[in-house]
Amino acid sequence: KKHFLFDISCMENKKTIKQKRKLLREKIAKFCLFDDDFMSKVFEDDKEATEYLLHTILQRDDLEVTESKGQVPIKNLQGRSVRLDIKAKDKSGKLYNIEVQRADEGASEKRARHNIAMIDANVLMPREDVSNLPETYVIFITEHDIFKCGLPLYHIDRIIKENNMTFQDESHIIYVNGEYEGDDPIGDLMHDFACANPDEMRSKLLAEKTRYYKKDDKGVRRMSKIMEEFAIEERTEAKLEAARNMLMKNKFLLEDIADCTNLPLETVQQLANELQLKA
């Protein structure tokens, strides 16, 4: 009887895993490059694809990418963190943060300012002169035309208002309009970003990378594992945020917070210590 029940349990477990994998594959099939987790993996560690992306957006072909990383976490001294979709570097040392946003509020003006500040704060070593700050580009590829002017690109640079001269702080912000459908390289790029089917993409390079994660068994398994890891990270972060909120109310015992959030007591104690240091 025990063996029989064990066999049934194993069969149900295998069925659940199979259904979960099927759902993940269906979700991956619907992804396009406007989905940040998917976009990050397509361009991660792929200098050629990132170079193609930057050549198209910056409208130049003399840029050589030496590094491209996806989902890069950066934290400031107060513990606030940001996760960059793509962080890249070129041969001359310039830094690029490329973000995709489906929601307009995720690409607000202050979000762009925040990303530049976080990058700058984590570039220099202690006592290193600020003159060594590299030229930096924060690029938002937005699904919608958030400025509603119909332009393919929006370049934001600081100027001196009295004489309209450029303020040479070497920080740049660029918004790419995902609704743009022009018959030019930006139009082609935005067409490909909106494509769920790699066979309909205009760029052979992007089509091949997208096809790998959508139709190749090895690529699909890899993407499924990544999605599961992201889901675990999101659940953990939600628990940590709930614990911080409970700690700030100063009404709960550490043991109660650990029970409510399903976090180890040691983790809750560490969060409490961090909050006390900030106070």
Side-chain angles (χ1 to χ4, degrees), residues 59-89:
Q59 300 173 318
R60 49 185 291 193
D61 58 8
D62 59 342
L63 185 154
E64 182 181 341
V65 171
T66 58
E67 181 181 297
S68 178
K69 299 294 181 183
Q71 295 294 326
V72 179
I74 298 180
K75 184 178 289 188
N76 66 13
L77 292 174
Q78 286 72 41
R80 183 178 177 85
S81 63
V82 62
R83 190 182 292 273
L84 308 180
D85 288 345
I86 295 291
K87 183 182 179 186
K89 185 178 181 180

Side-chain angles (χ1 to χ4, degrees), residues 27-41:
K27 189 172 183 179
I28 291 169
K30 295 177 182 178
F31 276 154
C32 69
L33 292 173
F34 279 117
D35 295 291
D36 57 357
D37 291 343
F38 185 71
M39 175 266 196
S40 295
K41 295 312 298 181

Side-chain angles (χ1 to χ4, degrees), residues 6-111:
F6 178 75
D7 289 342
I8 291 176
S9 177
C10 286
M11 289 173 63
E12 290 177 345
N13 189 43
K14 288 179 180 178
K15 185 178 180 181
T16 301
I17 292 172
K18 190 174 181 180
Q19 289 174 336
K20 185 178 179 182
R21 286 175 178 170
K22 182 182 177 183
L23 289 172
L24 280 173
R25 284 176 175 266
E26 290 175 352
K27 189 172 183 179
I28 291 169
K30 295 177 182 178
F31 276 154
C32 69
L33 292 173
F34 279 117
D35 295 291
D36 57 357
D37 291 343
F38 185 71
M39 175 266 196
S40 295
K41 295 312 298 181
V42 168
F43 288 96
E44 182 180 49
D45 295 326
D46 192 327
K47 292 181 282 189
E48 184 182 7
T50 305
E51 206 168 272
Y52 164 75
L53 184 62
L54 291 174
H55 282 182
T56 305
I57 294 171
L58 298 178
Q59 300 173 318
R60 49 185 291 193
D61 58 8
D62 59 342
L63 185 154
E64 182 181 341
V65 171
T66 58
E67 181 181 297
S68 178
K69 299 294 181 183
Q71 295 294 326
V72 179
I74 298 180
K75 184 178 289 188
N76 66 13
L77 292 174
Q78 286 72 41
R80 183 178 177 85
S81 63
V82 62
R83 190 182 292 273
L84 308 180
D85 288 345
I86 295 291
K87 183 182 179 186
K89 185 178 181 180
D90 73 11
K91 190 175 181 180
S92 65
K94 296 175 184 176
L95 296 180
Y96 305 86
N97 165 219
I98 308 166
E99 301 286 319
V100 290
Q101 286 291 343
R102 307 203 87 148
D104 293 354
E105 58 270 19
S108 67
E109 293 90 334
K110 288 192 175 180
R111 170 63 62 183

Side-chain angles (χ1 to χ4, degrees), residues 194-209:
C195 266
N197 184 357
D199 296 334
E200 297 175 0
M201 287 185 165
R202 296 170 184 170
S203 165
K204 182 179 178 181
L205 177 62
L206 294 186
E208 287 178 353
K209 285 301 299 287

Side-chain angles (χ1 to χ4, degrees), residues 106-252:
S108 67
E109 293 90 334
K110 288 192 175 180
R111 170 63 62 183
R113 172 182 168 185
H114 179 255
N115 281 19
I116 285 182
M118 293 290 280
I119 294 169
D120 284 349
N122 284 271
V123 168
L124 298 181
M125 299 297 290
R127 294 184 294 277
E128 186 176 359
D129 194 279
V130 294
S131 63
N132 292 331
L133 278 172
E135 190 166 357
T136 304
Y137 290 79
V138 168
I139 300 170
F140 282 105
I141 304 174
T142 60
E143 188 172 28
H144 307 292
D145 182 3
I146 64 172
F147 296 114
K148 303 188 186 306
C149 295
L151 299 173
L153 300 168
Y154 300 92
H155 292 80
I156 296 94
D157 292 291
R158 294 183 185 182
I159 63 167
I160 301 171
K161 292 176 70 173
E162 285 74 15
N163 57 16
N164 210 37
M165 286 178 60
T166 301
F167 184 70
Q168 299 287 354
D169 65 342
E170 295 191 332
S171 65
H172 314 279
I173 301 168
I174 300 174
Y175 284 81
V176 188
N177 174 11
E179 293 183 351
Y180 180 71
E181 298 179 350
D183 185 18
D184 56 24
I186 295 294
D188 289 342
L189 182 65
M190 292 303 93
H191 169 274
D192 288 355
F193 260 71
C195 266
N197 184 357
D199 296 334
E200 297 175 0
M201 287 185 165
R202 296 170 184 170
S203 165
K204 182 179 178 181
L205 177 62
L206 294 186
E208 287 178 353
K209 285 301 299 287
T210 302
R211 189 177 293 110
Y212 171 73
Y213 285 112
K214 283 175 170 281
K215 298 188 176 184
D216 182 273
D217 284 342
K218 185 177 179 181
V220 171
R221 287 197 300 271
R222 185 178 175 189
M223 179 55 67
S224 297
K225 183 179 179 182
I226 290 163
M227 288 172 63
E228 290 173 348
E229 291 171 352
F230 281 147
I232 292 171
E233 285 183 18
E234 287 176 358
R235 289 196 292 270
T236 302
E237 187 54 43
K239 290 178 183 180
L240 293 171
E241 188 62 27
R244 290 189 192 97
N245 291 335
M246 293 177 74
L247 286 166
M248 291 174 69
K249 291 180 180 179
N250 202 26
K251 294 180 180 179
F252 305 94

